[in-house]
Amino acid sequence: MNWYNLKEEELLKKLETTPMGLTDKEVETRLTNYGFNSLPKKEKESIWEIFFKGFLDPLVILLIITFFFSLIINEIVDAFVILFIVVLDLILGTYQEWKAKNNADSLSKLIKVKSMVRRNKTIKTIDSIFLVPGDIVYLTSGDKIPADMRILESSNLKVNESVLTGESTDINKKAGLLKGDIPLSERENMVYSGTIVTTGRATCVVVNTALNTEIGKIAVTISKKEDTKSPLTIRMNKFSKQISVLVVIIAIIISLILYLKHIPGKEIFLSVIALSVSAMPEGLPLALTMALTIASNRMAKKEVIVKKLNSVESLGSCTVIASDKTGTLTINEQTAKVIAYPGLEEIKLTSDFSGLSKNSQELIRLGALNNEAKLNDLGEYIGDSIDIAFLKLALNAQIDCSNYQILKTIPYESENGYSAVFYQDNKKTSVTIKGSLEKVLAVSNYQNTPKKCKINKDQIRELNTKLAREGYRLIALAKKDLTTKTLSEKSLKDMTFLGLVAFIDPIRTTAKKSITECKKAGIKVVMVTGDHPLTAFSIAKSLGIAKKESDIATSSDLETALEKGAKYFQEYIKDKTVFSRVTPLEKLEIVNAYKRNHEFIAVTGDGVNDT
């Protein structure tokens, strides 16, 4: 069901609900039909299940057979040494996996989501697992969205969907009808489970819960996939088969030689058994387990949980690393990097703000004044990522806004593309506007570079295009001193364009070094992200992942390649190092294609779309 295509009346009718919400009786019925709003967890293995599963290892099976052979030939000491090694190996492996799984379970229990809903015509707060389709839910800044929902009403709503789509910037959301087949990342009248409200508020109706959500669909796809054998398991299985075949061949040859020499059958049998016992590498499983345990403990000191010991060796065997961008290669935090004025040299922002001009200081001050972000009691910033970046910029530059009195605000609305603030400084009343370049240019007739003069809009647009191609997100600001006490939108004209502030999600300080080390080790690193191609290419080029734009493949490129068949797709991805605007399921196709190309691939990321 494309819920974003339905009119509100049709939507509520299909969900059998009203804006007043459901009754407790209706909720009880729907909980029976749909179940709880939570993803089913894989049944936890007991410590004994983990222990006895270790007996299925081919090498362990060989050693157990060797144990019985040793008893047959009366090598009691050897037999119990082999048994001791097998049991110790299984105990060490079981303990390590049990500890890792308990640590992972402890982390998952820390996450609990509450939701504000309307039921029985009253508003109450409930645990999100009790949400059902048809529930009316209220969202505010900072809320984690508990289910897939259609927006009924909204005000200045922005959502961070990076965990699902990989998009690094906040997405404007609003109520309304969408027509046609719209990709998930562009469904502005929908919000999805697991994403976060950064600013604004909304009234929504739940359309899907649990496994029917977008996150749930990913979980279903993953649950249907068979567990992939690690490189170590593949090699050990191959080694076990090789040594078994070799022992059998040698045993047959020796048996024939001894038979031709008329050696009694009992002695032949005992000789063959003795040979088989001596050929078995009894210490290998324990040595491997010890080595993997040491490596696992070293990783634990770096706050990495290793759920299976073989995963340590798998990481060392990988030939390709597919990395997400947002939050992995970058810090997932918009940061001001450049202040640009038309016709003047760009100002690169560093940790040293002592040399900022008055124009730059005013630009930063107005960005902090015209701002809807805030700092909560826990010391956390809540709000739009750009607003938060402006606040941090003013704080780092030690620019004081306390002497400015805010008289009126015009909040940001996605339809308008700007926000405005009327403020007073030393009894002088002014208004400032902040938003997209075209919106600000539309109300600006002058520019301040360095003195007030007639605006050159073409020059400003060229500057904007140049910075956008470098992967920056641009915010424009303008200002006007008022001569009247009337504070209204009619005052937003004949303004003076102040400049552009360029923001970017900065690269992690360790990312480039890590990628260089991977390349030296013969490991190919590719970027797989839901972000915009220009942004992805800019970051990839800085990291040395991509050199030219032809290295990029977008979602539409991948769809075209997939339509031509699996073999064509396998060849197509070989020359690509950046995959942008991709969906979670497309990421899975990319990973499977690399595996069919006989690559050992590791996937890294911090979002559900990287699972």
Side-chain angles (χ1 to χ4, degrees), residues 341-578:
Y341 303 105
L344 297 179
E345 189 176 347
E346 297 163 17
I347 299 168
K348 302 286 185 181
L349 296 174
T350 63
S351 57
D352 182 15
F353 294 92
S354 58
L356 282 178
S357 66
K358 288 185 178 180
N359 282 350
S360 297
Q361 290 180 25
E362 182 177 34
L363 201 65
I364 295 170
R365 183 180 291 108
L366 295 182
L369 275 176
N370 187 359
N371 203 296
E372 296 177 54
K374 57 185 178 181
L375 194 64
N376 66 14
D377 295 337
L378 299 174
E380 302 169 330
Y381 284 97
I382 296 175
D384 174 71
S385 57
I386 293 296
D387 278 349
I388 291 173
F390 263 118
L391 285 184
K392 289 183 176 180
L393 178 60
L395 180 66
N396 292 335
Q398 297 182 341
I399 292 175
D400 185 17
C401 302
S402 59
N403 293 329
Y404 291 75
Q405 181 185 356
I406 296 177
L407 305 174
K408 181 182 177 179
T409 62
I410 300 175
Y412 180 90
E413 296 289 349
S414 56
E415 296 88 348
N416 297 334
Y418 70 85
S419 62
V421 165
F422 296 84
Y423 63 95
Q424 194 171 65
D425 173 32
N426 295 327
K427 297 184 179 180
K428 183 176 70 176
T429 303
S430 305
V431 60
T432 181
I433 182 174
K434 180 186 76 179
S436 66
L437 177 66
E438 289 306 320
K439 292 292 183 181
V440 176
L441 283 183
V443 297
S444 300
N445 285 341
Y446 307 97
Q447 65 185 52
N448 194 20
T449 51
K451 295 181 180 180
K452 188 173 180 179
C453 60
K454 195 70 177 177
I455 193 167
N456 186 338
K457 294 187 178 182
D458 290 338
Q459 187 183 47
I460 295 171
R461 289 191 181 99
E462 285 178 15
L463 179 61
N464 184 80
T465 303
K466 173 183 174 294
L467 290 169
R469 291 193 67 82
E470 293 175 15
Y472 289 109
R473 184 180 178 189
L474 283 303
I475 299 296
L477 291 97
K479 175 190 173 182
K480 178 184 177 182
D481 293 331
L482 301 176
T483 56
T484 175
K485 292 183 179 181
T486 304
L487 309 179
S488 69
E489 290 186 41
K490 293 180 180 179
S491 303
L492 301 180
K493 60 182 180 180
D494 296 327
M495 301 187 76
T496 300
F497 185 87
L498 297 179
L500 294 165
V501 182
F503 296 85
I504 201 165
D505 183 7
I507 296 170
R508 289 188 182 275
T509 53
T510 56
K512 192 166 186 176
K513 181 183 176 183
S514 299
I515 290 169
T516 302
E517 289 177 355
C518 286
K519 286 183 176 181
K520 286 180 180 177
I523 300 170
K524 180 180 180 181
V525 180
V526 299
M527 180 192 291
V528 187
T529 178
D531 220 334
H532 192 279
L534 281 179
T535 306
F537 177 66
S538 175
I539 297 295
K541 191 175 181 181
S542 299
L543 290 169
I545 294 175
K547 293 180 180 178
K548 51 190 183 300
E549 291 189 9
S550 59
D551 292 335
I552 304 176
T554 63
S555 178
S556 58
D557 295 332
L558 294 175
E559 285 179 17
T560 303
L562 280 167
E563 288 170 1
K564 295 181 180 179
K567 286 188 177 179
Y568 179 87
F569 188 75
Q570 284 171 233
E571 290 300 314
Y572 177 77
I573 66 167
K574 283 183 179 180
D575 299 326
K576 304 299 178 183
T577 56
V578 179

Side-chain angles (χ1 to χ4, degrees), residues 21-60:
L22 303 172
T23 64
D24 286 341
K25 186 176 180 181
E26 288 172 324
V27 170
E28 189 176 338
T29 303
R30 296 186 190 204
L31 278 174
T32 303
N33 294 336
Y34 296 103
F36 290 110
N37 180 35
S38 60
L39 299 180
K41 294 181 180 178
K42 190 176 180 181
E43 190 174 337
K44 187 178 178 181
E45 290 180 317
S46 70
I47 194 167
W48 292 111
E49 285 176 313
I50 297 172
F51 178 78
F52 286 113
K53 191 183 284 185
F55 283 100
L56 300 177
D57 187 308
L59 196 54
V60 171

Side-chain angles (χ1 to χ4, degrees), residues 225-240:
K225 275 186 63 66
E226 295 181 5
D227 287 341
T228 304
K229 291 181 179 179
S230 70
L232 180 62
T233 303
I234 294 170
R235 291 179 185 129
M236 291 307 296
N237 287 350
K238 185 178 179 180
F239 175 73
S240 301

Side-chain angles (χ1 to χ4, degrees), residues 279-344:
M280 288 299 117
E282 296 93 343
L284 181 59
L286 183 59
L288 280 174
T289 301
M290 291 297 292
L292 294 177
T293 300
I294 291 168
S296 174
N297 289 334
R298 285 178 179 171
M299 293 181 74
K301 290 177 181 178
K302 296 184 178 182
E303 300 180 350
V304 177
I305 294 176
V306 179
K307 293 182 76 173
K308 290 189 176 182
L309 282 179
N310 284 350
S311 301
V312 178
E313 194 274 339
S314 299
L315 189 61
S317 298
C318 77
T319 56
V320 177
I321 295 176
S323 176
D324 182 37
K325 180 187 77 69
T326 307
T328 306
L329 297 174
T330 64
I331 64 175
N332 196 15
E333 183 181 293
Q334 291 294 323
T335 305
K337 286 294 182 182
V338 176
I339 293 177
Y341 303 105
L344 297 179

Side-chain angles (χ1 to χ4, degrees), residues 161-215:
E161 293 186 336
S162 61
V163 70
L164 185 61
T165 66
E167 178 69 62
S168 60
T169 55
D170 299 335
I171 309 300
N172 294 315
K173 298 285 185 176
K174 62 181 180 180
L177 177 67
L178 294 177
K179 294 182 180 180
D181 188 15
I182 311 294
L184 185 144
S185 60
E186 296 174 19
R187 296 172 193 169
E188 59 183 19
N189 64 356
M190 296 285 297
V191 291
Y192 293 99
S193 178
T195 59
I196 298 172
V197 178
T198 53
T199 60
R201 56 190 180 278
T203 303
C204 307
V205 59
V206 176
V207 296
N208 286 317
T209 58
L211 289 177
N212 292 320
T213 63
E214 292 298 325
I215 286 178

Side-chain angles (χ1 to χ4, degrees), residues 55 63-64 67 78-89:
F55 283 100
L63 291 180
I64 292 172
F67 163 74
D78 284 355
F80 281 98
V81 167
I82 292 170
L83 183 63
F84 172 76
I85 289 172
V86 169
V87 172
L88 181 60
D89 174 51

